[in-house]
Structures are given as structure tokens and as C-alpha cells.
Amino acid sequence: MDIKELYKLYQQHPCITTDSRNCPEGSIFLALKGASFNGNQFALQALEKGCSYAIVDEAPLNPPKGGKNYPIYTNDILPSFGGEGGGFILVDDCLQTFKDLAREHRRQFDIPMVGITGTNGKTTTKELIRSVLAEEYSVMATEGNFNNDVGVPKTLFRLDKTTDIAVVEMGASHPGDIKTLVETAEPTCGLITNVGRAHLQGFGSFEGVCKTKGELYDFLMARDLPVFVNRDNEHLMGMVESRKSKVEGYQPDVYYYGQSDSDDILIKGEVISCAPFLKFRWREQDADAGYTSEWFTVQTQLIGAYNLDNMLAAIIVGYVNNIPFDKINHALENYKPTNNRSQMTETQTNHLIVDAYNANPTSMKAAIDNFRLMEVSPKMAILGKMGELGDIWEEEHQKVVTMLEEAKFDEVWLVGDEYFSTQHTSLPNLRLFHDVEEVKAAIDQEQPQHRYILIKGSNSVKLFQLPELL
């Protein structure tokens, strides 16, 4: 299928829908497939509801007797039809066509685009970067969890002539996922927040995680485009250095941020306190020029010292894009987390630290370490299981229990069958639950009060249902 010609059709009908329940008049329906659905089966219905065209990758079903027969267009005749017709457009692969069309749309806009991936913190970092850049620019950024091979194209189609800069989040759970997404979005700069032991069932190993996340570096560094790197993360440093050695003829632009005293760090930060919200300071420095700015102090509304890295990432992206220092600080101080990510909520009876959107070994350790360091009492942890760990699920859940033994929280509730297989003799305050329904029943009966409660687990455990009960 000639994408440029198909894009001309999109320009005449600039609305693509993938949901046959939502068919604006004159739009284009694109038939995607999933594990439990096949959009091709709803293409005729989409046309009858108001779509002008339906892009399909299976031969359209014949209409019911007496129904309207729609023409079927293929690549050979695609250039000949205009905006007033209608019918099916038969392609080889609807998902690939969706991505190709999205890339063609992205290429209509000569604007900076920040690509973000990583095991943990990518959504928070994306939101912080969006907030900083919005101080000076009109920003289009990924909404919700639209960070996969369907979500990224949908995000790109939101680009319009009012957009000054874009921030696109990219998720991955299998080898090659990031390569596909960067080749669709074509970012002009980017960062990897970190790499950790997550989605190992899909990646196969931690090395597989690094290779896949590193596909963002591959894309950018091969094109001499800037990357932003946490200087303190040995895995990211190794990934960057190995790629630097393969780049011939130029030196890629690498901007470092972090907490260490390395001379090559451009944006340096330090934690001041977490009581319970993160307070930190940062400065710009250039060792070669002998220049160091004043320290700037920022009081955030985020829980967790681990969020310092996310803050520094937003600062360096804002700095490189010429956001004034005072506006960077204003954006960071006024950012409020949503979607159960690093949220501190005060109810009538408890103080809740809610991070119930996702969990993997790396983020779980960070949450436990941060809660341990918080100068509050009494402390209660309600932690859910971690998913997609493959063969190491038992080992990683045991590590969580071991960390909890060292942390010595006042109460610990663990949710998920995986925890029943762990050894926990040193946790006399431990209770085990098979699922969130058992936890809800215990809360209803016991009514915990006057506690600081950490709530964290994989989204599938549904611990996000707990805050309203506490």
C-alpha cells in the first residue's frame, strides 16, 4: 500500500477510529486485531454508522441480503479515488499500516520530540517533562497508558499545527518493541529512566531488557541526536559507552545528570529531605568552563527519594530546550501526581502512600527503601505480588520478604499466592492474603487507623481499590 497516497486520503478525512462503537461521520475505521477481537468483523458496521472508509486486512464480509455493497480498493486503484467515495481499503497488515500512517503524519511536523522509555518512572518523568516544557511551549504528550504499538500511533495523530514540542512515552515487554516504536515516532532526543528486572517472561533475561530499552539509544546515537543519561546508573552508562565506541565520524551529544561528583555532569542534584514529600536542590555546572550556578531548592509534591532522578531528567530536558530556571522550578513544585503513582493522600483516618499502578523488583525495592527512610510512625505496608517474572518469581518475592524483615515496619500485609511460598520467620507482624477481596474484608473488620500506609503492587492485584477504604 502506498502510504503517501493513503495519507492524502487521511488528510481529506482526518479522523481515524479503531472502535466501531465510535464512528464520527466521515472518519476512517481501521480494523485492528487482538487476542479476543478482530476489527475486520466490524468494518461493515463502521461504514454503516458513518465512517467513509474502512481499512481492513481480511477480505470484507458480504453484506446481508439487500444491504449496500461497498467497493473494495487496493493499492492499484487507491490513487484514483477521492474524498467523496467510500468503501473498504484492503491492506496487508492493518497494524503496520496504522504505524506507517502515523509516521507519515509525524513527518509533517518539524518539531522536537522527546522519546522516553525505561523500566520504572517513565510515566512520572514524562509528566514532569511535559510540565516543565509547558512553561514556554505548547506541548503534546502521551496520555494514559498509550505507550505501545497501538497507543504510540494514536498519540502521534494528536500532533497538529499548534504543537511546539512533543513528549512520547514508549513501553516494552518483548524484544524489538522499542525499535518498532522509535521507528514510528522518530524522536529527536530521548532518555531511558533506568533498566530493571521487569517483564522478564517476555524479555527472557535482564540482558534482554537492556538490549530492548537500548534501542532508543541505537536510534538516536546513530543519527547524532541527543540523549540524556543518568550518570549514576551503571547499566545506562555501560549501554551508552558501548554505543559510543561503535559510532564513527562524530561524537554523539550525551547530556549527563545525576547526584555524583563527576565532572561531566551538567545538572547535579541532591536530596534535602523526604518528610514525607521530596525536597531537593539542583544546580547547573560546567567543569570545562569552570562554571557552577547557584543551588536551587525545590519542594515537590512527590513521595520518594527515588523521584530525584525523574526530577533531574525533567530539569535537563527543560534546560536544553531553553526553559528559564525559575520556570523549571515553578513547574516541578506545582506538579501533582495522579494515577496511583507516588501519591500521598491524607484521609480522615490514615496517611496513604499509593503506588499501586505497577510493581517489579526494582520499583518494589525503591518503594520499601524510601518508606523505611521516612521519619513517620507507625508504618504499615500492603504489598501485592509482582507479575511477569517468569522462572524467577519465587526468588524475587523472597527478596521482597527479606527486605521487609530488614525494614522492620510495624505491620506488613502481603497480597498474592506467590507470597505463601516465601520464608518469613522474622516477620511476626506479617499477614498473608490470597487476593484484594480478602484484604478488603480485613480492612472492613479491623478499620486500621492513624497509620502511614504504603500500598504497592502490580495493577492486576487491584490494590488501587484500597485507598477509599482506608
Side-chain angles (χ1 to χ4, degrees):
M1 180 62 63
D2 188 322
I3 290 299
K4 290 187 179 299
E5 291 299 325
L6 190 56
Y7 185 73
K8 290 179 182 178
L9 180 68
Y10 166 76
Q11 291 176 306
Q12 297 169 358
H13 300 270
C15 176
I16 291 181
T17 178
T18 60
D19 186 346
S20 61
R21 296 167 297 183
N22 178 28
C23 296
E25 191 72 27
S27 62
I28 297 174
F29 175 75
L30 191 135
L32 296 178
K33 298 175 184 176
S36 58
F37 66 90
N38 183 346
N40 290 284
Q41 297 174 353
F42 302 95
L44 177 60
Q45 178 181 330
L47 291 175
E48 293 174 341
K49 281 188 172 183
C51 290
S52 289
Y53 293 93
I55 300 176
V56 297
D57 53 17
E58 293 179 4
L61 299 174
N62 292 323
K65 187 174 181 179
K68 180 178 178 179
N69 283 297
Y70 291 92
I72 301 174
Y73 298 99
T74 63
N75 195 51
D76 293 339
I77 61 172
L78 183 58
S80 67
F81 67 82
E84 301 303 322
F88 299 101
I89 303 172
L90 184 61
V91 300
D92 292 332
D93 185 318
C94 279
L95 179 57
Q96 187 60 51
T97 298
F98 193 31
K99 290 185 283 191
D100 291 344
L101 269 176
R103 180 174 59 242
E104 187 65 25
H105 183 66
R106 185 266 179 275
R107 288 177 175 175
Q108 310 306 307
F109 303 92
D110 184 18
I111 60 171
M113 179 177 290
V114 186
I116 301 174
T117 190
T119 300
N120 303 305
K122 55 184 175 291
T123 298
T124 298
T125 301
K126 177 258 298 181
E127 289 299 317
L128 290 170
I129 291 174
R130 181 220 294 256
S131 297
V132 168
L133 294 176
E135 292 284 324
E136 290 278 298
Y137 303 111
S138 173
V139 183
M140 190 285 292
T142 300
E143 299 288 354
N145 61 348
F146 281 16
N147 64 5
N148 59 14
D149 58 356
V150 173
V152 168
K154 287 184 176 181
T155 297
L156 295 176
F157 277 116
R158 290 175 43 226
L159 291 168
D160 61 34
K161 62 183 180 180
T162 68
T163 307
D164 296 322
I165 191 168
V167 186
V168 178
E169 178 184 334
M170 304 175 195
S173 55
H174 297 88
D177 282 353
I178 297 300
K179 182 176 186 295
T180 297
L181 297 179
V182 295
E183 289 177 350
T184 300
E186 297 184 342
T188 59
C189 63
L191 65 91
I192 303 172
T193 56
N194 50 53
V195 286
R197 295 164 72 84
H199 300 295
L200 295 184
Q201 192 169 356
F203 288 120
S205 66
F206 177 66
E207 291 71 25
V209 175
C210 293
K211 184 177 185 299
T212 301
K213 301 295 185 183
E215 289 164 357
L216 176 59
Y217 287 162
D218 291 335
F219 180 89
L220 294 170
M221 296 176 74
R223 292 161 176 79
D224 199 16
L225 295 170
V227 295
F228 307 99
V229 181
N230 184 345
R231 185 68 172 78
D232 305 328
N233 189 305
E234 61 179 353
H235 299 300
L236 297 181
M237 287 300 296
M239 291 161 62
V240 167
E241 293 302 321
S242 66
R243 285 164 172 79
K244 272 186 178 182
S245 64
K246 297 177 182 178
V247 176
E248 298 180 0
Y250 59 86
Q251 184 67 31
D253 289 328
V254 180
Y255 296 96
Y256 295 109
Y257 60 93
Q259 305 176 54
S260 69
D261 293 324
S262 300
D263 289 342
D264 54 0
I265 284 181
L266 176 61
I267 299 297
K268 177 180 170 63
E270 298 176 353
V271 172
I272 296 176
S273 64
C274 291
F277 295 105
L278 170 65
K279 184 178 183 179
F280 73 99
R281 65 177 190 167
W282 68 275
R283 72 183 183 192
E284 171 204 2
Q285 57 188 34
D286 186 338
D288 292 336
Y291 169 76
T292 302
S293 76
E294 64 179 296
W295 284 103
F296 301 97
T297 299
V298 178
Q299 175 63 66
T300 79
Q301 300 180 60
L302 281 174
I303 296 294
Y306 52 83
N307 273 307
L308 176 60
D309 290 341
N310 303 332
M311 291 282 174
L312 296 180
I315 291 170
I316 200 167
V317 173
Y319 172 86
V320 171
N321 284 281
N322 302 311
I323 306 297
F325 291 169
D326 61 332
K327 291 190 175 182
I328 290 175
N329 295 334
H330 177 266
L332 298 181
E333 288 175 343
N334 286 278
Y335 171 73
K336 294 182 179 180
T338 57
N339 299 327
N340 297 315
R341 301 173 191 269
S342 301
Q343 287 180 268
M344 177 73 169
T345 303
E346 292 191 18
T347 69
Q348 291 183 343
T349 53
N350 295 290
H351 303 268
L352 309 181
I353 297 97
V354 184
D355 194 1
Y357 183 81
N358 210 347
N360 55 59
T362 307
S363 65
M364 190 69 85
K365 181 180 186 304
I368 293 172
D369 286 346
N370 181 73
F371 194 43
R372 178 174 56 83
L373 293 172
M374 287 176 59
E375 297 177 3
V376 295
S377 180
K379 296 179 182 179
M380 177 181 184
I382 305 178
L383 305 181
K385 69 177 183 178
M386 302 173 289
E388 299 183 54
L389 293 178
D391 294 338
I392 66 168
W393 67 267
E394 191 168 10
E395 169 191 349
E396 293 300 334
H397 283 87
Q398 182 62 56
K399 287 180 181 179
V400 170
V401 172
T402 302
M403 286 188 285
L404 291 169
E405 290 175 335
E406 296 171 353
K408 301 186 187 310
F409 298 145
D410 298 287
E411 295 176 78
V412 175
W413 292 10
L414 298 179
V415 189
D417 294 341
E418 288 81 352
Y419 287 113
F420 283 82
S421 301
T422 60
Q423 301 298 315
H424 39 73
T425 55
S426 300
L427 272 175
N429 55 354
L430 171 68
R431 294 177 61 180
L432 299 176
F433 300 85
H434 290 284
D435 55 39
V436 72
E437 294 303 320
E438 291 185 0
V439 180
K440 289 160 69 174
I443 291 173
D444 182 60
Q445 180 178 356
E446 301 173 27
Q447 296 293 312
Q449 295 185 11
H450 311 302
R451 293 165 170 80
Y452 286 82
I453 306 176
L454 170 65
I455 303 174
K456 184 170 180 62
S458 287
N459 200 42
S460 61
V461 191
K462 300 181 180 179
L463 297 188
F464 55 79
Q465 298 178 3
L466 302 183
E468 65 181 22
L469 306 178
L470 292 164

